[in-house]
Structure formats: structure tokens, C-alpha cells
Amino acid sequence: MAGGKAHPVSPLAPEGLPALPAIAGIELGAIEAGVRYKGRTDLMMMRFAAGTTVAGVFTTSKCASAPVDWCRSILDKGNARALVVNSGNANAFTGKAGAAAAKTVAVAAAKLVGCKADAVFMASTGVIGEVLPAEKVTAALPRLATTLKPERWDEAARAIMTTDTFPKAATRKTEIDGKPVTIVGIAKGSGMIAPDMATMLSFVATDATIPADVLQALLAKATDKSFNSITVDGDTSTSDTLLAFATGKGATHKPVAKLADSHFRNFRAAFEDLLIELAQLVAKDGEGAQKFVTITVTGAQSAKAARTIALSIANSPLVKTAIAGADANWGRIVMAVGKAGEKADRDKITIKMGGRLVAEKGAVHPRHDEAAATEHFKSRDIRIEVDVGIGKGEATVWTCDLTHGYIDINADYRS
Amino acid sequence: MAGGKAHPVSPLAPEGLPALPAIAGIELGAIEAGVRYKGRTDLMMMRFAAGTTVAGVFTTSKCASAPVDWCRSILDKGNARALVVNSGNANAFTGKAGAAAAKTVAVAAAKLVGCKADAVFMASTGVIGEVLPAEKVTAALPRLATTLKPERWDEAARAIMTTDTFPKAATRKTEIDGKPVTIVGIAKGSGMIAPDMATMLSFVATDATIPADVLQALLAKATDKSFNSITVDGDTSTSDTLLAFATGKGATHKPVAKLADSHFRNFRAAFEDLLIELAQLVAKDGEGAQKFVTITVTGAQSAKAARTIALSIANSPLVKTAIAGADANWGRIVMAVGKAGEKADRDKITIKMGGRLVAEKGAVHPRHDEAAATEHFKSRDIRIEVDVGIGKGEATVWTCDLTHGYIDINADYRS
């Protein structure tokens, strides 16, 4: 939002936030701390009941931000009592001063909550290369801590936005061993911290009782099918953070000992489904996005190979601009399959657009209907299916088109 | 050029083609065969003297075109008597019919030249998914074959263009063992075959006497430092083809037995230099290019790691749009280093823009002059240097910015 330019709400945005229920054991809220933005909330805090477990997945960047380093260093304790998230400043590439700023925030939050600093998780998103002004955060935290309430998820979802054009949240009611449990998640997407970088943050919480190691395994698996299966431009933030919290303050249920427990199956499915919904919301708010694109690859050598091929298609500027231009250009899809580096046999590839056969056995299909394919490419919801024809690996990824809006957003002057 | 839209000549184009000398043992020319385009030459042929050696480097795509398959199948013979190149149709993803069309062209050219078909090399660039209309090529070849002359390099460079906005050629005079030798090369670039795909074709010829295996080793090494060190959008064509020919019809020189021969050193340097010039011309004609960007990475774990990091920067849409917007946004460079996957230590990275220190030791440099950096980013010739600080690996790559012009060119309807 540097420069004060507001971008129009994505045409792919849902009509509004769903009703977000309270999670027993969690109180949260947001406040205007003035880290960088004016006139909007930019500091979010969650307080967790004693006994809350935590799991985390972070950016693969070799240049991770100070908050990511902090979270990684305390994750193996498996307990969380607070989460502090600011927007406006990513505290990334800020050296020792940045690490000190992160610690200052953790210590201040711990004091307010009455826990050790190593139970305080955090995330920062915004410009990089500037040390987080920790004093603005620590000055605002006491006021924020006195106003935390269980039902303030909406505010939390808004406070972590940067150039997101809409807030993102999802919820599921499910059960463990017949006892009701609730999950709520919020995310911020790949709107750029104009003009710094895309950062994906997401925080998911449940009132179920889940040991930290099971929660970690659950989160890692579900991430592959959700946040690791979306892409806007192939760029990776220094700050990507996904944290899951389980308070254990809901209905008492049969203990969960491992991910494969049969009575945990429904929860696992609901959790994964929620993460996929959040991930899709992020893709729908990609910079300049006008179309939502689902790419399914089947018949690859392995599931991993299928995802690599699907991401190669999803990240190809040529495929993304063809979609923007409603050009049902299957040649570019062949190109993207070919460059993925995974095993493929040109003469066994099948391509469908909007469910219709376009090409098979290494050539255009004799009944390919280009007009119908073009009509599909004019819609908001593009479906591309590729069968590689050599194995059983499958994967689905989601992305958006590449439009003038992306250039507008990212080629702006920072000032 | 589908749709008939002409794009303005790149502001990075040189003033004109250099004077391109004849190469003893080569006659060439171009003609309008009407493969797809109207009112311009689209078929180019070279005839080589008996004894001409050949080397080739091709696309890494798993979905290579029929002409690429053809060249690969005959390359190990090491001899070339003819080269036939058409624009307008890539003969890619065309199955058995495409392979048959390629062979038809080779047989026809062989008959005209008086050689076997396995001494006829070829390349096709243009729309994919349509079988090459071989009859249009074979109908035009006899006329073309009677008009071949040694000094028609200019016409050849123009005939292989697709959406290139300027023809590309380079030449060097050098020596082997004190005897004069000449090299001429032409290339077509990453203008798209609107709206199919970028294809890089380049043909380089010399009158020196070079065994095929030495020529192949020379070409492979030089490709890494030239065509494998440029990028426009990270997409890989099904048709990329780089061929080198050595006629042995120039001044008699001491035989070349291996790449490391000391009397071959100057030739090797000149050859590499010429390939770099051609590769840079291709980057300067990237779709929508307004700025030429040189990215040098030093201090990486290996030369390969340095190139991976440099290409990660060069392919980042966020870096490329920042350059387009004259936003000296070094945070995006850190991001691209971080996502490259190569060993890096955030706290040892140094970044320069236009020769000035911007960041070092994991943080912005205290005397970073943002105004000066912005001024540099407004120029046509952007220089970014990154020292990773952990090893001795070095690499330089070249690219262009990502502008609205790229979207215009690639989001057009095909019709």
C-alpha cells in the first residue's frame, strides 16, 4: 500500500467473510499500532490457553526473515501461549538488529500473557530491509492485550492484510470420535507489500486436543495439498509462515496418538479442506488476478512429478498471459509440460480445457473445437487437465492469470 | 505475427546489422515460400562444401519438435551439406505426420544439393500443433537452391525472424596458428511466434577446419556462457536449436586436435565472444523489453550455483517488474537469492546496483543512496551484482525487464 494506491477488489473475491465462530481457549484482537500504515489496524494478537500445542511450516527461502528465524527456534517446544503479527514491516534482511527487535516483541508479549518468551510466536509482513520498529509494537501491545476477545477473527483477518484486496478466512465444524470440534483459519495472500514482496501468512486454530507432533505431521501433509499447490508468480517470500494451534479446550474426546488414527480421519479431511480453501482464496487475490485457474495433472511418474509439471504450467508467463487474453493456446501448455524436467512422452500427452479434449497422442485432437475452448477461456474459472500418460501420479494446483494489473501493481515506484 | 500486429522495434536494438563477410564453403539465401506469413521471406537455406563438420545444442524440452528430433538423429555423423530453416510453423507436437514432413524436406534438399538426407539439418519456428506444410517448402526449395550466394547473410538473418523486432547477427575475425579465420553467426530471439512460443534459433559458421567432436565440445562450453545465460521469461521452447558449422575452406592452418590446443585458444575466445553477443541481442529483443539487464553473481559455492542464483534473479517477475518501474528494490533481489535453493548465508550477502553498494552483511548499507540507485534503474542498461560471500563461484546472465509490452504481445488473441 506504499504510495497509497488502492487496487480494486479482485473479481474472484467471495461475497464476504464467512461467520467465524469462537474457538475455546483463544482470545484475539487487532489494533492500529502505526508500524507503517495509517488509518487501519496493523497489529494482531492471539492469546492461547495453557496447554495449547503448535505446529509450523515456513518459507524455504535461504534468506528467511527474523520472525521466521524466531519461530523456528522455539517450534520444537511445541507450546504456544501467544501470537503477535504485524503488517507494514517484514523485519527481513535486517541482520542482528532485526533479530533483537523480534526478541523485544516476544519478551513484551510474554510479560503481558504471563509466559516465557519461547511460547510467543510471531510473523511480520511488509517492506523488507528495515528493522521492525519494536517500540511501536510494544507500546501498542498492552492496550491490545486488554481487549482480546474470542470472537474477533474478522478483525484479525483484516489486520494482517497488506495489498490483499479482501480478507481471507475459512471455518469447519467436524468431529473427533463423535465429539464436535471447530477449526478456524485466516490468511493473507500474495498481494505484494507494494512494492516489496509477496508474503503468505496463515494461522489456523482448533479447540481439539492434538499433540504437537501429530499437529506438525498433519500440517506438513496438508500444506503440500494446499499452500504448496498454489502459485501466483513463482516468487517465494522471505516471510511465509503457516502456524496451527490446538487449544484442547473444546469437548473432551478420545486422545489422538498419531496421524493415522481412524477416529482422526474426519478431522484430518476437514483440516486439509480448510487449508485448500484458504490457499485458493490466496490465488484468487493474486496481483491483477482476473481468472482463477485449476490445473490437474494425472498420469505422471509420481505425485511429486505431477505437481512439478502442474506448477510448471501454473508458473509459465506464457500460459498465464494466454489465459489473460482468453487465448486457448494449448501449445503453451505442451511447452510448459516439456520444460518441467519430469518424465513425459510427447506422443502420449492428453490435454483438456474446460473438460473438452484438445490434444492427444502428441497432436491436436481431430474434433478439437477451438471456439468452445476460447469461450471457456473467457470465463472466470479456467480448468486445464493434462494426462501425461506414463504413470499414476496426480496433483492439482491453483493459480491466476497474468495481467496488466500485475505489472501496474509491481512496477510502481515505491515512494 | 499472427493477427498482423507489428510491435515497435526494441529500444535496445543496435543501429543495424554489422557487415557480414562471406564464409568460404558456404552459400546461402532466403525466399518467400508462404508457409504462413505473406509478403516476407520465410525459408532460408545454406549449402555447405563437402567436408563441413557440424555441432549442435538443442532444447531440453521433453516435448521437442520434429525438426529437433531429426537433427538429433543425424548429429553423430558430424557432417553437414545443407541447412533448411522455415519460420511460420514450428512443426512441433505434430506426431508422426510432423516427423514425415521433416523427412520430406530433408530428402528434397538432399536431392538438390547432391547428398544424403542425413547431411541435411533443419529448424522450424512458428505456431505449434500444425504439421509443417512440407509441399510449400519443397515447392520453393529448387528456386531457392539456384540463387544461393556466399554474401547473403543479411537475408538469412531476416528470414528466420518471427516476432523479433530486429535481425540479429555478429561476426569475428580471428586466427588459428596465425592463419586468418572468420566466424559469422545469426540468431532469432525470444520474440514469440505470436502467440505460440518463444524459440531461440542460432546458426554459426566458420571457414576454419575443426573436427566435429572438437566443434561439439566448443559449442557446448560456449553455450553455457551465452545462450544458457540469457532468459526472458523462463519459458523453454520445444524448438530451440543452435548449430555450428566449420567448412574447412579458409586458409590452411595447423590441425586442431582438441579443445585445449593452445593454438586454438584465440579462436575459442572469439567464438565464445560471438555467441555472447548473439545471446545478448536475443535478450535485448525480449518481448516488451525496455531495459537490458546484466546480473553478475560472485562468491557462490560453485559456478553452477552462481548461475542458478543469477537466473533466479533474472527470472523473478518481481525483480523484472521492479526494473520496469525504475524501483531500485533490492529486497526483491534478496528474495530471489533466497528462493534459488543454492547455499547462501543471508548475513554475508552483498548487493550492488550500477556499481554502488546497496546492502551488505544481511542489511542495508549505511550509506545506501536510494536516489542514485533509482537513477541507475531509469537507464537502459541495468547492472546488478550480488556477492554471496561463501565461495568462489561466478556467473553472469543477461535479461530484460517485464513490461506491459510483454502482456500486450502475449495476451493477444491468436486469430
Side-chain angles (χ1 to χ4, degrees):
Chain A
M1 303 268 180
K5 254 196 202 173
H7 296 287
V9 174
S10 167
L12 308 172
E15 283 194 20
L17 283 174
L20 298 168
I23 296 283
I26 299 186
E27 297 166 299
L28 68 167
I31 198 169
E32 189 178 335
V35 171
R36 185 182 183 95
Y37 307 133
K38 300 289 171 210
R40 55 157 284 192
T41 56
D42 59 355
L43 183 66
M44 185 272 277
M45 180 176 178
M46 294 190 195
R47 184 164 55 210
F48 306 108
T52 296
T53 56
V54 60
V57 173
F58 305 95
T59 179
T60 57
S61 173
K62 309 284 179 185
C63 297
S65 67
V68 167
D69 281 353
W70 173 265
C71 290
R72 278 206 177 104
S73 74
I74 63 170
L75 186 67
D76 65 353
K77 304 206 178 290
N79 294 304
R81 295 298 309 281
L83 170 69
V84 179
V85 182
N86 74 275
S87 54
N89 181 311
N91 200 12
F93 212 63
T94 47
K96 284 176 187 171
K103 188 166 187 177
T104 299
V105 170
V107 168
K111 201 172 160 194
L112 290 167
V113 171
C115 68
K116 290 191 176 172
D118 64 10
V120 177
F121 285 77
M122 69 174 68
S124 298
T125 174
V127 296
I128 89 162
E130 294 176 21
V131 176
L132 177 72
E135 68 291 352
K136 289 190 180 170
V137 174
T138 55
L141 271 180
R143 268 185 303 144
L144 176 55
T146 60
T147 59
L148 302 180
K149 292 201 181 92
E151 58 280 354
R152 294 179 68 189
W153 283 102
D154 289 34
E155 294 167 61
R158 286 175 214 283
I160 63 173
M161 289 168 66
T162 53
T163 54
D164 298 63
T165 72
F166 61 90
K168 298 164 188 73
T171 181
R172 293 289 183 281
K173 297 269 186 198
T174 179
E175 53 79 32
I176 296 178
D177 193 34
K179 304 300 185 305
V181 295
T182 304
I183 317 172
V184 173
I186 59 173
K188 77 159 293 293
S190 39
M192 298 289 143
I193 308 303
D196 274 293
M197 75 181 58
T199 292
M200 195 289 294
L201 300 183
S202 183
F203 310 104
V204 181
T206 178
D207 53 2
T209 307
I210 307 173
D213 59 340
V214 177
L215 192 61
Q216 184 66 41
L218 174 72
L219 187 67
K221 284 241 176 192
T223 301
D224 271 350
K225 292 194 180 173
S226 56
F227 288 108
N228 283 348
S229 293
I230 56 166
T231 180
V232 171
D233 51 18
D235 277 336
T236 303
S237 163
T238 54
S239 306
D240 290 334
T241 299
L242 167 59
L243 293 167
F245 305 95
T247 66
K249 298 298 176 202
T252 304
H253 57 74
K254 187 176 164 186
V256 175
K258 55 184 196 301
L259 192 57
D261 284 353
S262 63
H263 65 289
F264 195 51
R265 196 180 301 152
N266 287 344
F267 182 92
R268 195 176 156 180
F271 186 91
E272 188 177 297
D273 200 47
L274 178 141
L275 250 58
I276 288 173
E277 181 177 341
L278 287 175
Q280 291 182 344
L281 288 171
V282 169
K284 287 177 179 177
D285 205 10
E287 301 80 16
Q290 294 292 313
K291 295 174 186 177
F292 180 65
V293 186
T294 303
I295 298 167
T296 301
V297 171
T298 55
Q301 202 170 21
S302 66
K304 190 160 173 279
R307 198 168 66 182
T308 302
I309 292 170
L311 285 171
S312 176
I313 299 168
N315 276 322
S316 161
L318 289 176
V319 171
K320 294 163 89 78
T321 49
I323 293 168
D327 175 9
N329 192 328
W330 59 272
R332 293 188 185 178
I333 296 170
V334 175
M335 175 282 297
V337 173
K339 80 164 181 166
E342 295 294 340
K343 201 177 162 195
D345 180 340
R346 181 186 63 201
D347 298 338
K348 289 182 178 168
I349 295 173
T350 298
I351 298 173
K352 290 182 185 177
M353 290 174 166
R356 287 168 188 268
L357 256 181
V358 168
E360 66 178 355
K361 290 181 191 157
V364 66
H365 190 265
R367 286 189 304 282
H368 169 45
D369 180 347
E370 182 145 350
T374 301
E375 205 51 44
H376 176 65
F377 264 45
K378 287 180 180 169
S379 76
R380 291 275 183 212
D381 196 356
I382 310 293
R383 284 171 296 129
I384 296 170
E385 294 160 77
V386 174
D387 190 281
V388 187
I390 58 159
K392 295 189 169 182
E394 297 188 8
T396 297
V397 308
W398 300 276
T399 189
C400 55
D401 52 344
L402 173 56
T403 69
H404 284 294
Y406 183 90
I407 309 287
D408 282 337
I409 294 168
N410 290 303
D412 281 352
Y413 287 88
R414 235 177 326 181
S415 54
Chain B
M1 304 271 179
K5 255 196 199 173
H7 296 287
V9 173
S10 167
L12 309 171
E15 282 194 23
L17 283 175
L20 298 168
I23 297 283
I26 298 186
E27 295 165 300
L28 71 167
I31 197 169
E32 189 178 335
V35 170
R36 185 182 184 93
Y37 307 133
K38 301 287 169 211
R40 54 157 284 192
T41 55
D42 60 355
L43 183 66
M44 185 270 277
M45 181 176 177
M46 294 190 195
R47 184 165 52 211
F48 305 109
T52 295
T53 56
V54 60
V57 172
F58 306 96
T59 179
T60 58
S61 173
K62 309 283 177 184
C63 298
S65 67
V68 166
D69 281 353
W70 173 266
C71 289
R72 278 205 176 104
S73 74
I74 62 170
L75 185 67
D76 65 354
K77 303 206 181 289
N79 293 305
R81 295 297 308 282
L83 169 70
V84 179
V85 182
N86 73 275
S87 54
N89 181 313
N91 200 12
F93 211 62
T94 47
K96 285 176 187 171
K103 187 165 186 178
T104 299
V105 170
V107 168
K111 202 172 159 193
L112 290 166
V113 171
C115 69
K116 289 191 177 173
D118 65 10
V120 178
F121 285 77
M122 69 174 67
S124 297
T125 174
V127 295
I128 88 162
E130 295 176 20
V131 176
L132 177 71
E135 69 288 354
K136 289 189 180 171
V137 174
T138 54
L141 271 179
R143 269 184 303 145
L144 176 54
T146 59
T147 58
L148 303 180
K149 292 201 181 92
E151 60 279 355
R152 294 178 67 190
W153 283 102
D154 289 35
E155 293 166 61
R158 284 176 215 281
I160 64 173
M161 288 167 67
T162 53
T163 53
D164 298 63
T165 72
F166 61 88
K168 299 164 187 71
T171 183
R172 293 289 184 281
K173 298 267 186 200
T174 179
E175 53 78 32
I176 296 178
D177 193 35
K179 304 301 187 301
V181 295
T182 304
I183 318 173
V184 173
I186 59 174
K188 79 160 294 292
S190 42
M192 298 289 142
I193 308 302
D196 273 293
M197 75 182 55
T199 292
M200 194 287 295
L201 300 183
S202 184
F203 310 104
V204 181
T206 179
D207 54 1
T209 306
I210 308 174
D213 60 338
V214 177
L215 192 61
Q216 184 66 40
L218 172 73
L219 188 66
K221 284 240 176 196
T223 301
D224 271 350
K225 292 194 182 174
S226 55
F227 287 106
N228 284 347
S229 293
I230 56 166
T231 181
V232 170
D233 52 18
D235 277 336
T236 302
S237 163
T238 54
S239 307
D240 291 334
T241 299
L242 167 59
L243 293 168
F245 304 94
T247 66
K249 297 298 175 201
T252 303
H253 57 73
K254 187 175 163 187
V256 175
K258 54 184 198 302
L259 193 56
D261 282 353
S262 64
H263 65 287
F264 195 51
R265 195 181 302 152
N266 287 345
F267 182 91
R268 195 176 157 179
F271 186 91
E272 188 176 298
D273 200 47
L274 177 141
L275 249 59
I276 289 173
E277 181 177 343
L278 288 175
Q280 291 181 343
L281 288 171
V282 169
K284 287 177 178 176
D285 204 9
E287 300 82 13
Q290 294 292 314
K291 295 173 185 177
F292 180 66
V293 185
T294 303
I295 299 166
T296 301
V297 171
T298 54
Q301 201 171 22
S302 66
K304 189 160 173 278
R307 199 169 65 181
T308 300
I309 293 168
L311 284 172
S312 176
I313 300 167
N315 276 322
S316 161
L318 289 176
V319 171
K320 295 164 86 78
T321 50
I323 292 168
D327 175 8
N329 192 327
W330 58 272
R332 295 187 183 178
I333 296 169
V334 175
M335 177 279 300
V337 173
K339 78 162 183 169
E342 295 293 341
K343 201 176 163 195
D345 179 341
R346 181 187 61 202
D347 298 338
K348 290 181 177 168
I349 295 174
T350 298
I351 298 173
K352 289 184 186 177
M353 291 174 167
R356 285 168 189 268
L357 256 181
V358 168
E360 66 177 356
K361 291 182 191 155
V364 66
H365 191 265
R367 287 190 305 281
H368 169 45
D369 181 346
E370 181 146 350
T374 302
E375 205 51 45
H376 176 65
F377 264 44
K378 287 181 181 169
S379 75
R380 291 274 184 212
D381 196 358
I382 310 293
R383 282 171 297 127
I384 296 170
E385 295 161 75
V386 174
D387 190 282
V388 186
I390 58 159
K392 296 190 168 179
E394 297 189 7
T396 295
V397 309
W398 300 275
T399 190
C400 56
D401 53 345
L402 173 56
T403 69
H404 284 293
Y406 182 88
I407 309 286
D408 282 337
I409 294 168
N410 290 303
D412 281 352
Y413 287 89
R414 234 177 325 179
S415 53

